[in-house]
Amino acid sequence: MGQSAQLNGVDWSASYSCRSCGTIIEFDDCMPAPKEVREALIKGGGKWHLVLSAAKPHKLKAAQVLASLFQLSAPDALKQVNRVIELGGVEGTKEEMTWFANKLSQKGVESSKNEITEATSSFMDFMEFMAFLEL
């Protein structure tokens, strides 16, 4: 099972080989990964956390990135950026956070990506973040 950050999103793949009959099954798609696949990716690669800079110029640039990526209005994009900052960041797989950090850095937005080492966290989950943007 794997995941890779691409230009337009995060791709995931999984494969299975039957030891009895030799049949090989492969799956792949782009984000969002199914819940079971995502859980396995997090179990294998850990949860990662992305924090956005709260400085006003970075917030505005981050809102421009979201507006462009997800066809949001400027007020909706800024609302989501503020929500992520208030919650202390967004969390997900390493590749999800890498993709998001890359999109932000292309526009000069400061962010930091770190592996979450605590057993629990209270950051916004990336799939929750994506679901909000799809409205």
Side-chain angles (χ1 to χ4, degrees), residues 102-122:
N102 287 344
K103 290 297 183 184
L104 293 167
S105 70
Q106 289 171 2
K107 298 295 183 185
V109 178
E110 290 181 9
S111 65
S112 63
K113 178 183 75 173
N114 301 294
E115 187 169 13
I116 299 171
T117 56
E118 301 99 37
T120 60
S121 62
S122 60

Side-chain angles (χ1 to χ4, degrees), residues 5-23:
Q6 303 295 322
L7 183 62
N8 293 320
V10 180
D11 294 343
W12 64 270
S13 62
S15 62
Y16 172 77
S17 177
C18 178
R19 293 181 186 194
S20 297
C21 70
T23 299

Side-chain angles (χ1 to χ4, degrees), residues 5-123:
Q6 303 295 322
L7 183 62
N8 293 320
V10 180
D11 294 343
W12 64 270
S13 62
S15 62
Y16 172 77
S17 177
C18 178
R19 293 181 186 194
S20 297
C21 70
T23 299
I24 298 172
I25 300 171
E26 295 185 357
F27 305 91
D28 60 74
D29 205 348
C30 56
M31 66 180 179
K35 182 180 178 181
E36 299 81 11
V37 170
R38 195 161 177 271
E39 287 171 355
L41 290 165
I42 288 172
K43 185 176 180 180
K47 272 191 179 180
W48 290 73
H49 173 232
L50 184 77
V51 178
L52 301 177
S53 170
K56 188 173 183 176
H58 292 284
K59 285 172 53 171
L60 296 176
K61 287 181 185 178
Q64 289 173 339
V65 170
L66 292 184
S68 173
L69 286 174
F70 303 105
Q71 291 76 45
L72 297 174
S73 68
D76 285 344
L78 186 58
K79 179 180 176 183
Q80 185 65 354
V81 167
N82 286 328
R83 185 170 176 224
V84 168
I85 290 169
E86 288 170 13
L87 291 172
V90 64
E91 69 180 30
T93 67
K94 183 178 183 180
E95 294 302 324
E96 290 166 350
M97 298 302 96
T98 298
W99 175 77
F100 192 35
N102 287 344
K103 290 297 183 184
L104 293 167
S105 70
Q106 289 171 2
K107 298 295 183 185
V109 178
E110 290 181 9
S111 65
S112 63
K113 178 183 75 173
N114 301 294
E115 187 169 13
I116 299 171
T117 56
E118 301 99 37
T120 60
S121 62
S122 60
F123 311 116

